[in-house]
Amino acid sequence: MSSELCAVGIQEHTQAEEMKGVRPLTIVIKLGTSSICDEETHEPLLSNLSLMVETCIKLRRQGHRVILVSSGAIGIGLRRLDLKKRPKHLAAAQAIAAVGQCRLISLWDELFKQLRQPVAQILLTRNDIADRTQYLNAANTFSELLNMGIIPIVNENDTLAVTEIKFGDNDTLSAITAGMVNADYLFLMTDVDCLYDKNPRIHPDAKPVEVVDDISSLEVDVSSAGSTLGTGGMSTKLTAARLATSAGVTTIITRSSTPSKVFHIVSYIQSLKKESGTVTPFRGVGPSAPSSPLNSQIDLFNLGRLSANSPAENSLSSSESYLPAPLHTRFTAKPRAIRDRYFWILHGLKPHGTVFIDEGAYDALTRSDKAGLLPVGVVDVHGTFGQQECVDISVVKRTAEEKYEVISVDVGRALVNYTSVEIQRIKGAKSSQIQTQLGYADSEYIAYRDNTAFFDEKFSQP
């Protein structure tokens, strides 16, 4: 046996031993179309798929719970029907997706069957989780499947989805799934090792970004689009990372052609947490784990690997109980996670309009006693929507009568008690005047505080 194979075997054995005794983790892995089938021939990349199956099985044998989010229905459908390119017409694309999804899940089932691992198919559209009861039913189904040791394979229901009810891309779908199941890790598998400060296909001197604590301050080139078969790109992955980390999910971008990285990266991060005494607590209901102190010692744009002299590494045990992780980008989870109902309002629903509120109303909504949104604090309404539909919330500064200046756009979302027409009539009025102006008063509030959520996690806690 070669020394290289021996080293790999020792590394896997060491990591497997380290992961024993660690509480079960919930891990969501997203594979894009370019990782599943060839962009030109549309033939399934069996080597990639087989390695991913082996990685999922290895994680399952360590006691972890695994969810696979798999694109590729249209790509596989093109191969099945001997078509050369994705059609432009929606109906044709949906028909091909119907053929491809059948073949895709069959392919996954056959591969997992070789290792006696049962799988389940879950197809979603945003419409499926727009209703709170359906959202909870979906979460309960995921929970039961995972408790039974089954690996759910998730995809957007391309056969039925139209623009109004699409997630847009499977990066977003995987992030919503991760938030729904309170996952510990979300892996966004792609065709590069990690996020770079510049497009590595164009700039050979591009440097890797390894740890990101604040996505809003990130300065990187995300101009590269997805494949001709897929709908995503690096930009959608950053959006998904922002969504998932707000829910307390550590998000990782890494190369899909070497799926075994998932196992090694999980082992590496858990080793860091173990050494620093911040092993993640059980992720049921409640706040997410605090970020490892190591993260604060790693400069976001110090893009090299941790050197032997780095303060972070020197703070670890000198026994070298873990081996370096493969190259990847890790987005650290927010210390105060947005969960459950607030997460559903922010990310499970599609807004149908915007309600503009003044600074006083925003202060009332975000203070500790959490007041509801009264009509007196509403300045304007855009869009057309009905009762109990979701709207964006933007904050404005009143400058003169009937005039205002927008301060903050889309700070949160809310389920409203009145239609857009009704809110337009009662905006700026006192609650006692609703009856007079409308002839009825369903509620004194435009939106209850429990039906209002903000993207700033400080204001979206139970």
Side-chain angles (χ1 to χ4, degrees), residues 124-377:
L124 293 174
T125 65
R126 191 177 288 278
N127 209 39
D128 294 324
I129 60 174
D131 178 77
R132 178 64 177 166
T133 301
Q134 287 181 261
Y135 177 87
L136 293 174
N137 285 343
N140 289 337
T141 299
F142 274 116
S143 179
E144 192 61 30
L145 287 170
L146 295 172
N147 289 339
M148 294 170 67
I150 296 168
I151 295 180
I153 299 178
V154 185
N155 195 2
E156 183 158 17
N157 193 347
D158 292 321
T159 303
L160 299 178
V162 292
T163 303
E164 290 75 13
I165 61 173
K166 284 179 71 69
F167 292 101
D169 57 85
N170 273 4
D171 293 323
T172 301
L173 173 60
S174 66
I176 291 177
T177 300
M180 184 187 298
V181 301
N182 291 339
D184 298 277
Y185 294 101
L186 167 62
F187 280 84
L188 300 173
M189 312 299 286
T190 184
D191 55 359
V192 292
D193 289 303
C194 62
L195 185 66
Y196 289 86
D197 61 343
K198 292 181 284 190
N199 189 335
R201 297 184 180 94
I202 303 173
H203 303 280
D205 61 337
K207 297 178 180 179
V209 178
E210 294 192 348
V211 179
V212 179
D213 293 314
D214 182 9
I215 298 176
S216 62
S217 65
L218 193 60
E219 297 178 3
V220 293
D221 179 8
V222 295
S223 59
S224 58
S227 69
T228 57
L229 296 177
T231 56
M234 196 55 72
S235 178
T236 63
K237 287 171 177 56
L238 289 185
T239 300
R242 183 180 289 105
L243 193 162
T245 53
S246 73
V249 182
T250 298
T251 304
I252 292 151
I253 293 176
T254 192
R255 186 179 290 274
S256 60
S257 59
T258 51
S260 59
K261 283 185 176 183
V262 173
F263 183 82
H264 300 321
I265 292 169
V266 169
S267 178
Y268 172 77
I269 297 175
Q270 290 302 110
S271 296
L272 289 182
K273 291 180 178 180
K274 183 178 179 182
E275 292 287 343
S276 61
T278 59
V279 177
T280 311
F282 179 72
R283 292 285 305 281
V285 179
S288 65
S291 299
S292 166
L294 293 172
N295 296 336
S296 62
Q297 300 180 45
I298 301 175
D299 185 354
L300 174 60
F301 296 105
N302 177 15
L303 303 174
R305 308 303 299 275
L306 289 175
S307 67
N309 296 322
S310 80
E313 188 159 23
N314 288 338
S315 70
L316 299 177
S317 169
S318 60
S319 62
E320 295 183 2
S321 59
Y322 65 91
L323 297 175
L327 190 58
H328 66 281
T329 297
R330 172 163 41 107
F331 299 86
T332 57
K334 296 292 184 182
R336 301 180 67 181
I338 299 173
R339 295 281 177 79
D340 302 325
R341 184 174 182 82
Y342 290 141
F343 181 84
W344 170 69
I345 291 172
L346 288 174
H347 304 296
L349 302 177
K350 184 178 179 66
H352 294 272
T354 302
V355 171
F356 295 89
I357 64 174
D358 61 25
E359 296 169 286
Y362 179 71
D363 290 340
L365 287 167
T366 55
R367 68 192 186 200
S368 58
D369 58 356
K370 298 181 177 181
L373 176 60
L374 296 168
V376 69

Side-chain angles (χ1 to χ4, degrees), residues 33-39 41-51 76 107 111 256:
T33 301
S34 62
S35 304
I36 290 174
C37 62
D38 185 272
E39 190 171 349
T41 66
H42 310 141
E43 292 176 344
L45 302 175
L46 294 177
S47 57
N48 276 12
L49 302 183
S50 298
L51 288 171
I76 296 295
L107 189 58
L111 291 171
S256 60

Side-chain angles (χ1 to χ4, degrees), residues 331-461:
F331 299 86
T332 57
K334 296 292 184 182
R336 301 180 67 181
I338 299 173
R339 295 281 177 79
D340 302 325
R341 184 174 182 82
Y342 290 141
F343 181 84
W344 170 69
I345 291 172
L346 288 174
H347 304 296
L349 302 177
K350 184 178 179 66
H352 294 272
T354 302
V355 171
F356 295 89
I357 64 174
D358 61 25
E359 296 169 286
Y362 179 71
D363 290 340
L365 287 167
T366 55
R367 68 192 186 200
S368 58
D369 58 356
K370 298 181 177 181
L373 176 60
L374 296 168
V376 69
V378 176
V379 178
D380 201 0
V381 181
H382 284 182
T384 303
F385 49 85
Q387 288 183 340
Q388 296 306 310
E389 287 193 330
C390 181
V391 298
D392 282 318
I393 298 174
S394 292
V395 183
V396 303
K397 180 179 181 180
R398 297 179 188 267
T399 56
E401 187 176 353
E402 299 297 325
K403 294 184 178 181
Y404 57 86
E405 175 186 340
V406 178
I407 299 175
S408 301
V409 178
D410 299 344
V411 297
R413 289 178 180 169
L415 293 174
V416 290
N417 296 325
Y418 292 96
T419 68
S420 55
V421 174
E422 291 169 331
I423 296 175
Q424 194 70 255
R425 292 174 61 185
I426 63 176
K427 67 182 182 182
K430 295 180 180 180
S431 296
S432 58
Q433 297 174 314
I434 297 177
Q435 177 75 38
T436 303
Q437 296 194 20
L438 295 182
Y440 53 88
D442 293 337
S443 171
E444 64 177 310
Y445 294 105
I446 297 293
Y448 297 119
R449 183 58 183 87
D450 285 345
N451 286 340
T452 307
F454 293 94
F455 291 105
D456 188 330
E457 64 273 9
K458 296 192 299 292
F459 307 131
S460 289
Q461 301 296 320

